[in-house]
Amino acid sequence: MKIKTLLTFTSLLLISSTSMAQQTQSLHLKHVRQELSKHMQNTTDAIALEDWEMVVKLAPQIGQHEEPPASEKLRILAYLGKDAARFRGYDHQTHEAADEMRSAALKQDGKAVINAYAKIQTNCLACHSNFRSGFQKHFYESLGSGK
């Protein structure tokens, strides 16, 4: 009986310590966002230089960006609750606008590239305005792990 109790206690301790470690480490989503920021800045530069080939290359890196691992997605979705659909909607609209931007760059249509880029930026701003503060408080500040 003592062995069973000890095994149960050890298992619970391992599970809770793993859970705490996951909660205090930086979200992979932060890395994804940083990469997107870099791609957006490079796209701004390419547009300014009218380097449509570079815009064609960068658009998929924005629209088909890396995603967090499944375990992190579950944590994020649990946090978002009913707002998950809106969060995913911003991401979906960003994917579509990046596809539009790529198509416009293939045609060397600068005005259409800029319009599609503006849609991407608008979605980024809307998402950040609605979710960034809450994410920082929930996933970082409340756990004492910084930003």
Side-chain angles (χ1 to χ4, degrees), residues 67-85:
E67 293 190 13
S71 61
E72 185 174 305
K73 279 185 186 181
L74 292 174
R75 286 177 56 207
I76 292 168
L77 292 174
Y79 163 72
L80 289 170
K82 62 181 175 59
D83 288 329

Side-chain angles (χ1 to χ4, degrees), residues 109-120:
D109 183 346
K111 188 172 184 173
V113 168
I114 291 169
N115 287 336
Y117 184 81
K119 287 181 189 178
I120 296 168

